[in-house]
Coordinates of all heavy atoms in Angstrom, one line a residue:
M24 N 15.7 -16.3 -9.9 CA 16.2 -15.1 -9.2 C 17.8 -15.2 -9.2 O 18.4 -16.2 -8.9 CB 15.7 -15.1 -7.7 CG 16.2 -13.9 -7.0 SD 15.3 -13.7 -5.5 CE 16.2 -14.7 -4.4
V25 N 18.4 -14.1 -9.5 CA 19.8 -13.9 -9.6 C 20.4 -13.6 -8.2 O 19.8 -12.6 -7.6 CB 20.3 -12.8 -10.6 CG1 21.7 -12.7 -10.6 CG2 19.7 -13.2 -12.0
D26 N 21.4 -14.3 -7.7 CA 22.0 -14.0 -6.5 C 22.8 -12.7 -6.7 O 23.7 -12.6 -7.6 CB 23.0 -15.1 -6.1 CG 22.4 -15.9 -4.9 OD1 21.5 -15.4 -4.3 OD2 23.0 -16.9 -4.6
S27 N 22.6 -11.7 -5.8 CA 23.3 -10.4 -5.8 C 23.9 -10.2 -4.6 O 23.4 -10.6 -3.5 CB 22.4 -9.3 -6.2 OG 21.8 -9.5 -7.5
G28 N 25.0 -9.5 -4.6 CA 25.6 -9.1 -3.3 C 24.8 -8.1 -2.6 O 24.0 -7.4 -3.1
Y29 N 25.1 -7.9 -1.4 CA 24.4 -7.0 -0.5 C 24.5 -5.6 -1.0 O 23.5 -4.9 -1.1 CB 25.0 -7.0 0.9 CG 24.5 -5.9 1.9 CD1 23.2 -6.1 2.4 CD2 25.2 -4.8 2.1 CE1 22.7 -5.1 3.3 CE2 24.6 -3.8 2.9 CZ 23.4 -4.0 3.5 OH 22.9 -3.0 4.3
E30 N 25.6 -5.1 -1.4 CA 25.8 -3.7 -2.0 C 25.0 -3.5 -3.2 O 24.4 -2.5 -3.4 CB 27.3 -3.4 -2.2 CG 28.1 -3.5 -0.9 CD 27.8 -2.4 0.1 OE1 27.3 -1.3 -0.4 OE2 27.9 -2.6 1.3
E31 N 24.9 -4.5 -4.1 CA 24.1 -4.4 -5.3 C 22.6 -4.3 -4.9 O 21.9 -3.5 -5.6 CB 24.3 -5.7 -6.2 CG 25.7 -5.6 -6.9 CD 26.0 -6.9 -7.5 OE1 25.0 -7.6 -7.8 OE2 27.2 -7.2 -7.8
L32 N 22.2 -5.1 -4.0 CA 20.8 -5.0 -3.5 C 20.5 -3.7 -3.0 O 19.4 -3.1 -3.3 CB 20.5 -6.2 -2.6 CG 20.5 -7.6 -3.1 CD1 20.4 -8.6 -2.0 CD2 19.4 -7.8 -4.1
V33 N 21.3 -3.2 -2.1 CA 21.1 -1.8 -1.6 C 21.0 -0.8 -2.7 O 20.2 0.1 -2.6 CB 22.2 -1.5 -0.4 CG1 22.1 0.0 0.0 CG2 22.0 -2.4 0.7
A34 N 22.0 -0.8 -3.6 CA 22.0 0.1 -4.7 C 20.7 0.1 -5.5 O 20.1 1.1 -5.9 CB 23.2 -0.1 -5.6
A35 N 20.3 -1.1 -5.8 CA 19.0 -1.3 -6.6 C 17.8 -0.7 -5.8 O 16.9 -0.1 -6.3 CB 18.8 -2.7 -6.9
A36 N 17.8 -1.0 -4.5 CA 16.7 -0.4 -3.6 C 16.7 1.1 -3.6 O 15.7 1.7 -3.7 CB 16.8 -1.0 -2.2
M37 N 17.8 1.7 -3.5 CA 18.0 3.1 -3.5 C 17.6 3.7 -4.8 O 17.1 4.9 -4.8 CB 19.4 3.6 -3.2 CG 19.9 3.1 -1.7 SD 18.9 3.8 -0.4 CE 19.3 5.5 -0.5
A38 N 17.7 3.1 -5.9 CA 17.4 3.6 -7.2 C 15.9 3.3 -7.6 O 15.4 3.9 -8.5 CB 18.3 3.0 -8.2
A39 N 15.2 2.5 -6.8 CA 13.8 2.2 -7.2 C 12.9 3.3 -6.9 O 13.1 4.0 -5.9 CB 13.4 0.9 -6.3
P40 N 11.9 3.5 -7.7 CA 10.8 4.6 -7.4 C 10.1 4.2 -6.2 O 9.8 2.9 -5.9 CB 10.0 4.4 -8.7 CG 10.1 3.1 -9.3 CD 11.5 2.7 -8.9
V41 N 9.6 5.2 -5.4 CA 9.0 4.8 -4.1 C 7.6 5.5 -4.0 O 7.0 5.6 -3.0 CB 9.8 5.3 -2.9 CG1 11.0 4.5 -2.8 CG2 10.2 6.8 -3.0
G42 N 7.0 6.0 -5.2 CA 5.7 6.6 -5.2 C 4.6 5.6 -5.2 O 4.6 4.6 -5.8
G43 N 3.5 6.0 -4.4 CA 2.4 5.2 -4.4 C 2.6 3.8 -3.9 O 3.4 3.4 -3.1
W44 N 1.8 2.9 -4.5 CA 1.8 1.5 -4.2 C 2.5 0.6 -5.2 O 2.1 -0.5 -5.4 CB 0.3 1.0 -3.9 CG -0.3 1.5 -2.7 CD1 -0.9 2.7 -2.5 CD2 -0.3 0.9 -1.4 NE1 -1.3 2.9 -1.2 CE2 -1.0 1.8 -0.5 CE3 0.2 -0.3 -0.9 CZ2 -1.2 1.4 0.8 CZ3 -0.1 -0.6 0.4 CH2 -0.7 0.3 1.3
D45 N 3.4 1.1 -5.9 CA 4.1 0.4 -6.9 C 5.3 -0.4 -6.3 O 6.3 0.2 -6.0 CB 4.6 1.4 -8.0 CG 5.4 0.6 -9.1 OD1 5.3 -0.6 -9.1 OD2 6.0 1.3 -9.9
F46 N 5.1 -1.7 -6.2 CA 6.2 -2.5 -5.7 C 6.9 -3.3 -6.8 O 7.4 -4.4 -6.5 CB 5.7 -3.4 -4.6 CG 5.1 -2.7 -3.4 CD1 3.7 -2.5 -3.2 CD2 6.0 -2.1 -2.5 CE1 3.2 -1.7 -2.1 CE2 5.5 -1.3 -1.4 CZ 4.2 -1.2 -1.3
G47 N 6.7 -2.8 -8.0 CA 7.3 -3.5 -9.2 C 8.8 -3.8 -9.1 O 9.3 -4.8 -9.6
A48 N 9.5 -2.9 -8.4 CA 11.0 -3.1 -8.2 C 11.3 -4.4 -7.4 O 12.4 -4.9 -7.5 CB 11.6 -1.9 -7.5
L49 N 10.4 -4.9 -6.8 CA 10.6 -6.2 -6.0 C 10.2 -7.4 -6.7 O 10.4 -8.6 -6.3 CB 9.8 -6.1 -4.6 CG 10.1 -5.0 -3.7 CD1 9.2 -5.1 -2.5 CD2 11.6 -5.1 -3.2
A50 N 9.7 -7.3 -8.0 CA 9.3 -8.4 -8.8 C 10.5 -9.4 -8.9 O 11.6 -9.0 -9.3 CB 8.9 -8.0 -10.2
G51 N 10.2 -10.6 -8.6 CA 11.2 -11.7 -8.7 C 12.1 -11.8 -7.5 O 13.0 -12.6 -7.5
R52 N 11.9 -10.9 -6.6 CA 12.9 -10.8 -5.4 C 12.2 -11.3 -4.1 O 12.8 -11.4 -3.1 CB 13.4 -9.4 -5.2 CG 14.4 -9.1 -6.4 CD 15.0 -7.7 -6.2 NE 15.7 -7.7 -4.9 CZ 16.1 -6.5 -4.4 NH1 15.9 -5.4 -5.0 NH2 16.6 -6.5 -3.2
V53 N 10.8 -11.4 -4.2 CA 10.1 -11.7 -2.9 C 9.2 -12.9 -3.2 O 8.8 -13.1 -4.3 CB 9.3 -10.6 -2.4 CG1 10.2 -9.4 -1.9 CG2 8.3 -10.0 -3.4
R54 N 8.8 -13.6 -2.2 CA 7.9 -14.7 -2.4 C 6.8 -14.5 -1.4 O 7.1 -14.0 -0.2 CB 8.6 -16.0 -2.1 CG 9.6 -16.4 -3.1 CD 10.2 -17.8 -2.8 NE 11.4 -17.9 -3.6 CZ 12.4 -18.6 -3.4 NH1 12.4 -19.3 -2.3 NH2 13.5 -18.7 -4.1
G55 N 5.6 -14.9 -1.7 CA 4.5 -14.8 -0.8 C 3.2 -14.9 -1.5 O 3.2 -15.3 -2.7
S56 N 2.2 -14.6 -0.9 CA 0.9 -14.7 -1.4 C -0.1 -13.6 -0.9 O 0.3 -13.0 0.1 CB 0.2 -16.0 -1.1 OG 0.0 -16.2 0.3
D57 N -1.1 -13.3 -1.6 CA -2.0 -12.2 -1.2 C -2.7 -12.7 0.0 O -3.0 -13.9 0.3 CB -3.0 -11.9 -2.4 CG -2.4 -11.2 -3.5 OD1 -1.4 -10.5 -3.3 OD2 -2.9 -11.3 -4.6
P58 N -3.0 -11.8 1.0 CA -3.8 -12.2 2.1 C -5.2 -12.7 1.8 O -5.7 -12.4 0.7 CB -3.9 -10.9 3.0 CG -3.7 -9.8 2.0 CD -2.8 -10.4 0.9
S59 N -5.8 -13.4 2.7 CA -7.1 -14.0 2.5 C -8.2 -13.0 2.6 O -9.3 -13.2 2.3 CB -7.4 -15.1 3.5 OG -7.4 -14.6 4.8
W60 N -7.9 -11.7 3.0 CA -8.8 -10.6 3.2 C -8.5 -9.5 2.3 O -7.4 -9.4 1.7 CB -8.8 -10.1 4.7 CG -7.4 -9.9 5.2 CD1 -6.5 -10.8 5.7 CD2 -6.7 -8.6 5.1 NE1 -5.3 -10.2 6.0 CE2 -5.3 -8.9 5.6 CE3 -7.0 -7.4 4.6 CZ2 -4.4 -7.9 5.7 CZ3 -6.0 -6.4 4.7 CH2 -4.8 -6.7 5.3
S61 N -9.4 -8.6 2.1 CA -9.2 -7.5 1.2 C -9.4 -6.1 2.0 O -10.4 -5.9 2.5 CB -10.4 -7.4 0.1 OG -10.4 -6.2 -0.5
Y62 N -8.3 -5.4 2.0 CA -8.2 -4.1 2.8 C -9.3 -3.1 2.2 O -10.1 -2.6 3.0 CB -6.9 -3.5 2.8 CG -6.9 -2.1 3.5 CD1 -6.9 -2.1 4.9 CD2 -7.1 -1.0 2.8 CE1 -6.9 -0.8 5.5 CE2 -7.1 0.3 3.3 CZ -7.1 0.3 4.7 OH -7.1 1.5 5.4
P63 N -9.4 -3.0 0.9 CA -10.4 -2.1 0.3 C -11.8 -2.5 0.7 O -12.6 -1.7 1.1 CB -10.2 -2.1 -1.2 CG -8.8 -2.5 -1.4 CD -8.5 -3.4 -0.2
R64 N -12.1 -3.8 0.7 CA -13.4 -4.3 1.0 C -13.7 -4.0 2.5 O -14.8 -3.5 2.8 CB -13.6 -5.7 0.7 CG -15.0 -6.3 0.9 CD -15.3 -7.7 0.4 NE -14.2 -8.6 0.8 CZ -13.4 -9.2 -0.2 NH1 -13.6 -9.0 -1.5 NH2 -12.4 -10.0 0.2
A65 N -12.7 -4.2 3.4 CA -12.9 -4.0 4.8 C -13.1 -2.6 5.1 O -13.9 -2.1 5.9 CB -11.7 -4.6 5.6
A66 N -12.3 -1.7 4.4 CA -12.4 -0.2 4.7 C -13.7 0.3 4.2 O -14.3 1.1 4.9 CB -11.2 0.5 4.0
R67 N -14.1 -0.1 3.0 CA -15.5 0.4 2.5 C -16.6 0.0 3.4 O -17.5 0.8 3.7 CB -15.7 -0.2 1.2 CG -15.0 0.5 0.0 CD -15.5 0.0 -1.4 NE -14.6 0.5 -2.4 CZ -13.6 -0.3 -2.8 NH1 -13.5 -1.5 -2.5 NH2 -12.8 0.2 -3.7
A68 N -16.6 -1.2 4.1 CA -17.6 -1.6 5.0 C -17.6 -0.7 6.2 O -18.7 -0.3 6.7 CB -17.3 -3.0 5.4
R69 N -16.5 -0.2 6.6 CA -16.4 0.7 7.8 C -16.7 2.1 7.4 O -17.1 3.0 8.3 CB -15.1 0.5 8.5 CG -14.9 -0.8 9.2 CD -13.5 -1.2 9.6 NE -13.5 -2.5 10.3 CZ -13.6 -3.7 9.7 NH1 -13.8 -3.8 8.3 NH2 -13.5 -4.8 10.4
L70 N -16.5 2.5 6.2 CA -16.7 3.9 5.8 C -18.2 4.2 5.6 O -18.6 5.3 5.6 CB -15.9 4.2 4.4 CG -14.5 4.4 4.6 CD1 -13.8 4.5 3.2 CD2 -14.2 5.7 5.4
A71 N -19.0 3.2 5.4 CA -20.4 3.4 5.1 C -21.1 4.3 6.1 O -21.8 5.2 5.7 CB -21.2 2.1 5.1
G72 N -20.8 4.2 7.4 CA -21.4 5.2 8.4 C -20.4 6.2 9.0 O -20.9 6.7 9.9
A73 N -19.3 6.3 8.4 CA -18.3 7.1 9.0 C -18.5 8.6 8.8 O -18.9 9.0 7.7 CB -16.9 6.7 8.5
E74 N -18.3 9.4 9.7 CA -18.3 10.9 9.5 C -16.9 11.5 9.3 O -16.8 12.5 8.7 CB -18.8 11.5 10.8 CG -20.4 11.2 11.1 CD -20.9 11.8 12.3 OE1 -20.3 12.8 12.8 OE2 -21.9 11.4 12.7
R75 N -15.8 10.7 9.7 CA -14.5 11.2 9.5 C -13.6 10.0 9.1 O -13.9 8.9 9.4 CB -14.0 11.7 10.8 CG -14.6 13.0 11.3 CD -14.1 13.5 12.6 NE -14.5 14.9 12.9 CZ -15.7 15.3 13.2 NH1 -16.6 14.5 13.3 NH2 -15.9 16.5 13.5
L76 N -12.5 10.4 8.4 CA -11.5 9.4 8.0 C -10.2 10.0 8.1 O -10.0 11.2 7.5 CB -11.9 8.9 6.6 CG -10.8 8.0 5.9 CD1 -10.7 6.7 6.6 CD2 -11.2 7.8 4.5
L77 N -9.2 9.3 8.6 CA -7.8 9.8 8.6 C -7.0 8.8 7.9 O -7.0 7.6 8.2 CB -7.3 9.9 10.1 CG -5.9 10.3 10.3 CD1 -5.6 11.7 9.7 CD2 -5.5 10.2 11.8
D78 N -6.3 9.2 6.9 CA -5.4 8.4 6.1 C -4.0 8.7 6.6 O -3.5 9.9 6.4 CB -5.5 8.7 4.6 CG -4.6 8.0 3.8 OD1 -4.3 6.8 4.1 OD2 -4.1 8.5 2.8
I79 N -3.3 7.8 7.2 CA -2.0 8.1 7.7 C -0.9 7.4 6.9 O -0.7 6.1 7.0 CB -1.8 7.5 9.2 CG1 -2.9 8.2 10.0 CG2 -0.5 7.7 9.8 CD1 -3.0 7.7 11.5
D80 N -0.3 8.1 6.0 CA 0.9 7.7 5.3 C 0.8 6.3 4.6 O 1.6 5.4 4.8 CB 2.1 7.7 6.2 CG 3.4 7.7 5.4 OD1 3.4 8.1 4.3 OD2 4.4 7.3 6.1
T81 N -0.4 6.2 3.8 CA -0.5 4.9 3.1 C -0.1 4.9 1.7 O -0.4 4.0 1.0 CB -2.0 4.5 3.2 OG1 -2.8 5.6 2.6 CG2 -2.5 4.4 4.7
G82 N 0.6 5.9 1.3 CA 1.2 5.9 -0.1 C 0.8 7.2 -0.8 O 0.7 8.2 -0.2
G83 N 0.6 7.0 -2.1 CA 0.3 8.3 -2.9 C -1.1 8.7 -3.0 O -1.4 9.6 -3.8
G84 N -2.1 8.1 -2.3 CA -3.4 8.5 -2.3 C -4.3 7.7 -3.3 O -5.5 7.9 -3.3
E85 N -3.7 6.8 -4.1 CA -4.5 6.1 -5.1 C -5.6 5.2 -4.3 O -6.7 5.2 -4.7 CB -3.6 5.2 -5.9 CG -2.6 5.8 -6.7 CD -1.3 6.1 -6.0 OE1 -1.2 5.8 -4.7 OE2 -0.3 6.5 -6.6
L86 N -5.2 4.5 -3.3 CA -6.1 3.6 -2.6 C -7.2 4.4 -2.0 O -8.4 4.1 -2.1 CB -5.4 2.7 -1.6 CG -6.3 1.9 -0.7 CD1 -7.0 0.9 -1.6 CD2 -5.5 1.1 0.3
L87 N -6.8 5.5 -1.3 CA -7.8 6.4 -0.6 C -8.8 6.9 -1.7 O -10.0 6.8 -1.4 CB -7.1 7.6 0.1 CG -8.0 8.5 0.8 CD1 -8.7 7.9 2.0 CD2 -7.2 9.8 1.2
A88 N -8.3 7.4 -2.8 CA -9.3 7.9 -3.8 C -10.2 6.8 -4.3 O -11.4 7.1 -4.6 CB -8.4 8.4 -4.9
A89 N -9.7 5.6 -4.4 CA -10.6 4.5 -4.8 C -11.6 4.1 -3.9 O -12.5 3.3 -4.2 CB -9.7 3.3 -5.2
L90 N -11.5 4.5 -2.6 CA -12.5 4.1 -1.6 C -13.8 5.0 -1.6 O -14.7 4.6 -0.9 CB -11.9 4.2 -0.2 CG -10.8 3.2 0.1 CD1 -10.2 3.5 1.5 CD2 -11.2 1.8 -0.1
G91 N -13.8 6.1 -2.4 CA -14.9 7.0 -2.4 C -16.2 6.4 -2.6 O -16.3 5.2 -3.1
P92 N -17.2 7.1 -2.3 CA -17.2 8.4 -1.7 C -16.7 8.4 -0.3 O -17.0 7.5 0.5 CB -18.7 8.9 -1.8 CG -19.5 7.6 -1.7 CD -18.7 6.5 -2.4
L93 N -16.0 9.5 0.0 CA -15.3 9.6 1.3 C -16.1 10.5 2.2 O -16.9 11.4 1.8 CB -13.9 10.2 1.1 CG -13.0 9.3 0.3 CD1 -11.7 10.0 0.0 CD2 -12.7 8.0 0.9
P94 N -16.0 10.3 3.5 CA -16.6 11.2 4.4 C -16.2 12.7 4.2 O -15.1 12.9 3.7 CB -16.1 10.8 5.8 CG -15.7 9.4 5.6 CD -15.2 9.3 4.2
R95 N -17.1 13.6 4.6 CA -16.8 15.1 4.4 C -15.5 15.4 5.1 O -14.7 16.2 4.5 CB -18.0 15.9 5.0 CG -17.8 17.3 4.8 CD -19.0 18.1 5.2 NE -18.8 19.5 5.3 CZ -19.1 20.3 6.4 NH1 -19.8 19.8 7.4 NH2 -18.7 21.5 6.4
H96 N -15.3 14.9 6.2 CA -14.0 15.2 7.0 C -13.0 14.1 6.8 O -12.8 13.2 7.6 CB -14.3 15.4 8.4 CG -15.3 16.5 8.8 ND1 -15.0 17.8 8.6 CD2 -16.6 16.4 9.1 CE1 -16.0 18.6 8.9 NE2 -17.0 17.8 9.2
T97 N -12.3 14.2 5.6 CA -11.3 13.2 5.3 C -10.0 13.8 5.3 O -9.8 15.0 4.8 CB -11.6 12.5 3.9 OG1 -12.8 11.8 4.0 CG2 -10.4 11.5 3.6

């Protein structure tokens, strides 16, 4: 990882695309690991008997679309 100044990091962040769940602009700049749980798996388990679903600002809709079939009132 290259050390960058604060202003350079802010400029890079402002220029990065922010659509959907694409966090590619952070490649090489963050460290961590995937959680031990799966959000899609947990959501699908709860959607099985759901009549309604509210998606609150979770991105571009790619994850929501992948959870289908969705309740009638989504």
Side-chain angles (χ1 to χ4, degrees):
M24 182 166 86
V25 176
D26 251 349
S27 296
Y29 174 79
E30 296 298 328
E31 290 172 16
L32 292 172
V33 170
M37 296 299 291
V41 293
W44 287 86
D45 179 11
F46 297 103
L49 298 177
R52 294 183 54 193
V53 295
R54 294 183 195 154
S56 61
D57 290 334
S59 61
W60 49 274
S61 165
Y62 177 81
R64 186 172 43 245
R67 280 189 195 98
R69 287 162 180 80
L70 281 174
E74 295 180 15
R75 290 177 167 73
L76 171 66
L77 178 61
D78 177 36
I79 301 176
D80 199 21
T81 58
E85 300 89 350
L86 178 61
L87 179 66
L90 293 176
L93 299 173
R95 182 173 168 226
H96 299 289
T97 297

